[in-house]
Amino acid sequence: MEKKPHFVRREFLPREVPSISLALLLAAVLLLNALLYLYLNKFYNSLGRVETDPGYCPFGHFKFGAVKNCSPWLSCEAINREVRKLKCVGEGAVKKVFLSEWKEKKVVLSQLTNSELKEDFLHGLKMLKALQSKYVVRLLGYCEQQFTILTEYHPLGSLRGLNETLHIPKYKGMNTWHRRLMLAIDYVSIIRYLHSSPLGTLVMCDSNDLDKVLSQYLLTSDFHVLVNDLDALPLVNRSAGRLVKCGHRELQGEFVAPEQRWPYGEDVPFEDDLMPPYDEKTDIWKIPDVSNFFLGHVKGSDVVRLHLFDIHAACKKKDPAERPSAQEVLDTYRKVLTLLIREAAMPGTREML
């Protein structure tokens, strides 16, 4: 009787090993996907947590730091008695800003400097009170009679200093495409919040150039973005035919949206009464320029820009009606983050399969 050749059995093993390897690879991919899902779910939940109450306090109250109990906003009397100015840290057209101290905690005291702009100051206070959320700097107290506002202190300051901050040895680990894209997502989240705020559709008017935009936002110690200055935040109400104009002077330059520029040419002198109003899509036009600043020039930032190319091109449509909403931009940013994190977690997986 003829014996079976020995190579038959040996031939079977090489087929079995790849199938086991493939099963292990698929299991690893599924595990990585599960971990990625949990991470992104946690991240998106943090983006979508209660918008109207950052400290889980009722309206008119606050808490911050390690304090567990809510305190009512400080009154004129409490501010005068308990808050001590340390030094002036900034001054704009509307107010002067002082680093101050309250109960051994650093806080920020803002005071009106130009009585002609008191309406702007009071409008900013009104917005600050009404829009308290995880997107807005925390209000600690105010005194309308003395035109004073007390807010939480953030030592990293405004976004104008972002690149300098990221070069400090303590924060160099944050200087990655991933962290920078998350800051851009924070920024777009704020624009989306303002466009669908409890008060209606609000336009961020104090944004005529990049430096001015960056000065309106703060960088927190845990690397998130907060809007800080709400003095110029007019309301769009389409159903009532109400649009806005950002100030009464002529706006120029490529940073502002086309509809914000004088439409009648150089031969016709600018007149505010003849300037057509516009809507919140001016904020959308500016998103690519602000995001480009956020992304910087770190390794991987060009790949992020490539993935955002189409949505940014849509933001720059000349016709405001053709631009996406802030929600659509935010959705795209989140999808790009998910995609790039997945690719970074599983490089070459597609080729291996």
Side-chain angles (χ1 to χ4, degrees), residues 53-310:
D53 198 359
Y56 306 102
C57 290
F59 180 79
H61 295 71
F62 71 92
K63 67 177 179 179
F64 71 103
V67 178
K68 293 182 179 179
N69 298 324
C70 296
S71 302
W73 288 334
L74 299 186
S75 63
C76 295
E77 182 184 0
I79 291 174
N80 292 332
R81 185 181 65 249
E82 301 172 13
V83 177
R84 182 170 65 95
K85 290 180 185 176
L86 298 178
K87 63 178 179 178
C88 179
V89 292
E91 183 173 2
V94 179
K95 51 186 178 285
K96 186 178 287 188
V97 180
F98 297 89
L99 174 63
S100 305
E101 192 174 61
W102 173 70
K103 293 188 176 181
E104 300 183 349
K105 296 182 180 69
K106 296 288 195 305
V107 293
V108 173
L109 188 72
S110 302
Q111 292 184 316
L112 178 69
T113 54
N114 185 346
S115 60
E116 293 180 1
L117 298 175
K118 64 181 181 181
E119 293 304 320
D120 294 58
F121 184 91
L122 293 175
H123 176 74
L125 173 58
K126 177 185 175 183
M127 295 293 104
L128 194 54
K129 288 159 63 177
L131 299 175
Q132 281 297 285
S133 66
K134 78 187 191 77
Y135 303 112
V136 179
V137 69
R138 193 161 302 176
L139 178 65
L140 308 180
Y142 63 92
C143 180
E144 284 193 36
Q145 296 92 318
Q146 297 173 8
F147 297 98
T148 299
I149 299 173
L150 192 71
T151 54
E152 190 173 8
Y153 172 62
H154 294 279
L156 296 182
S158 80
L159 288 177
R160 283 190 294 192
L162 174 63
N163 288 324
E164 290 75 11
T165 297
L166 288 170
H167 283 95
I168 297 172
K170 180 181 177 181
Y171 298 112
K172 277 190 174 180
M174 296 287 193
N175 197 16
T176 64
W177 70 262
H178 171 251
R179 179 59 62 175
R180 283 176 170 271
L181 178 54
M182 288 175 71
L183 290 174
I185 288 174
D186 275 358
Y187 167 72
V188 177
S189 296
I190 292 170
I191 299 300
R192 194 270 307 168
Y193 174 64
L194 295 177
H195 288 184
S196 57
S197 83
L199 301 177
T201 302
L202 299 167
V203 181
M204 194 66 179
C205 262
D206 232 346
S207 56
N208 298 334
D209 57 65
L210 179 61
D211 192 64
K212 187 63 175 175
V213 171
L214 299 176
S215 72
Q216 310 300 304
Y217 297 86
L218 295 171
L219 180 64
T220 67
S221 296
D222 59 349
F223 271 71
H224 285 285
V225 178
L226 296 174
V227 62
N228 181 51
D229 196 330
L230 304 173
D231 294 345
L233 211 60
L235 179 70
V236 168
N237 187 338
R238 283 192 187 82
S239 60
R242 181 179 176 180
L243 300 177
V244 304
K245 287 192 285 187
C246 291
H248 304 288
R249 292 179 294 181
E250 183 177 2
L251 301 179
Q252 296 177 325
E254 291 300 312
F255 188 82
V256 297
E259 64 271 23
Q260 292 184 281
R261 301 172 212 153
W262 180 242
Y264 302 117
E266 296 180 358
D267 296 334
V268 181
F270 177 82
E271 286 187 43
D272 184 43
D273 290 341
L274 298 178
M275 180 67 198
Y278 34 83
D279 62 18
E280 77 281 2
K281 290 299 183 72
T282 58
D283 289 334
I284 305 299
W285 171 273
K286 297 161 189 173
I287 286 176
D289 299 294
V290 180
S291 289
N292 188 53
F293 167 81
F294 277 120
L295 291 174
H297 300 285
V298 297
K299 182 180 179 180
S301 63
D302 287 342
V303 176
V304 179
R305 287 186 179 89
L306 184 62
H307 281 81
L308 295 176
F309 180 85
D310 288 341

